[in-house]
Amino acid sequence: MKIKRVAAVHDLSGYGKCSLTIAIPVLSSFGIEVCPIPTGIFSMHTALDNWKMLDTADFIEEYIDSWKRENIQVDAIYSGFLTNQKQADIIKKLYRYNESALRFVDPVMGDNGKLYKTYDEELVESMRNLVSYADIATPNLTEAEILTKTKENILEELHNMGAKNIVLTSNVTDDTISNFTYDGKTKTEFKYKYYDEQIHGTGDLFSSCVLGMYLNGFSLNESVKYASEFTLDAIELTKTQDNYSSRGVSFEPLLGKNTAMIRDKA
C-alpha cells in the first residue's frame, strides 16, 4: 500500500486549535503522511486579543527550494491561511515542482460576513489568483462572496475563476446549514442542523476531512458528506469541554472513526 503524502501549507498556532494543529492529526488518521510548510507561527489564534505572529514568508521559499533539491514529491498541496501575498507565489512555485499533485485550496480569509483583520485587498487578490489554480477549493460563504465580489451565482463564478471543483460551506437558513459541491455541471446540497455559535477551527477540520477522504479514493460528494457529519460530531463533543470558545474545536477522541473508515474501505 502506498502511503500518500500531502504538503500542508498553513499557519501554526500554539494555542487554539486550527490550521496545522488540525490538519496534521486529521490527515494522519486517514493514513496520510503530512509534510508541513508553516506560513506563519502564531502564539494563539487570532480570535483572541493577545496573539503574536512570526511571518515565515522569506524562509518558506528557501524551505521549498530545499525540497526541490532533494526531489521531494507530494500527492497533494493543501493550502490555507496566508500571511502575505508573496506566499501565494511561493505556493504556485510548489505547484510547478509537483505538476501532478492535487491542488487543494482552502481560502481562509474570513467568516460571519467579515474579512480577517490580517488581510488587506492585495492579499485577497493573491488568494483569488491562487483559487484559480485549484482542483478543489473549499471557501465558506463569506470567503466565496469576497472572492467573487458578488452574492449571486457564487458557485458558477468560482468555477469561472478557474477552480475545477468547489465545496461551498456555511450557507445558513434559519436552523439549517448547507454545504454544496459544484463541478461546473452538477450542484449537490448537503443540509445539516445549524449551531448558532462560533467554534474556532471547524473549517480547518472540515477541509482536512474532505481531503483525507478524497485521497483515499472516495468521491467528492462522499467526502463532503462524511466531513460534514464528522464536523457536527466534533461540535457536539466540543460543547461539553471547558473554555471551548477559546480552545477551539475538539476532535481528538473521534479520530479513530477516520482510521476505521479507510480500513473498512480497503
Side-chain angles (χ1 to χ4, degrees), residues 5-221:
R5 180 183 297 141
V6 170
V9 193
H10 296 259
D11 62 290
L12 175 66
S13 288
Y15 176 78
K17 284 170 283 186
C18 62
S19 305
L20 285 176
T21 54
I22 290 178
I24 293 172
V26 170
L27 288 172
S28 296
S29 72
F30 281 107
I32 295 166
E33 176 185 345
V34 185
C35 301
I37 302 176
T39 57
I41 299 174
F42 288 78
S43 60
M44 61 191 73
H45 64 71
T46 58
L48 299 173
D49 293 331
N50 295 303
W51 58 271
K52 300 295 180 183
M53 180 190 77
L54 174 66
D55 188 335
T56 62
D58 292 334
F59 174 62
I60 67 169
E61 187 160 21
E62 298 178 14
Y63 194 114
I64 66 167
D65 284 345
S66 71
W67 284 21
K68 182 184 180 184
R69 289 191 292 272
E70 292 292 335
N71 193 32
I72 296 170
Q73 297 291 304
V74 296
D75 297 287
I77 298 164
Y78 173 26
S79 62
F81 180 88
L82 306 180
T83 60
N84 62 50
Q85 57 269 29
K86 182 179 179 181
Q87 292 179 342
D89 293 330
I90 294 171
I91 292 169
K92 287 186 288 184
K93 193 174 182 180
L94 192 59
Y95 290 165
R96 293 194 295 273
Y97 293 168
N98 296 264
E99 293 183 356
S100 64
L102 178 79
R103 299 170 181 180
F104 190 104
V105 180
D106 184 7
V108 181
M109 297 189 299
D111 205 357
N112 297 318
K114 295 181 180 179
L115 184 70
Y116 290 148
K117 61 189 78 173
T118 56
Y119 271 74
D120 58 21
E121 185 52 40
E122 286 185 343
L123 187 49
V124 170
E125 189 59 39
S126 294
M127 190 66 87
R128 286 193 187 101
N129 182 255
L130 195 61
V131 166
S132 72
Y133 289 85
D135 293 311
I136 300 173
T138 60
N140 62 33
L141 183 61
T142 296
E143 292 157 350
E145 291 176 352
I146 292 170
L147 288 166
T148 61
K149 302 181 182 179
T150 184
K151 297 180 183 291
E152 305 292 331
N153 301 316
I154 290 174
L155 290 165
E156 292 81 357
E157 289 297 321
L158 287 166
H159 191 265
N160 290 339
M161 287 171 60
K164 293 178 182 176
N165 296 277
I166 299 98
V167 179
L168 177 65
T169 69
S170 306
N171 187 11
V172 177
T173 305
D174 299 324
D175 60 350
T176 300
I177 187 167
S178 294
N179 298 328
F180 296 88
T181 60
Y182 182 67
D183 62 1
K185 296 179 181 179
T186 303
K187 178 172 71 173
T188 305
E189 182 178 8
F190 304 84
K191 291 184 177 182
Y192 299 95
K193 177 182 177 181
Y194 174 57
Y195 290 87
D196 188 16
E197 61 180 301
Q198 183 71 19
I199 296 178
H200 195 78
T202 52
D204 296 316
L205 180 62
F206 171 84
S207 291
S208 297
C209 282
V210 170
L211 180 57
M213 289 284 286
Y214 191 79
L215 288 179
N216 274 286
F218 291 89
S219 71
L220 185 57
N221 282 347

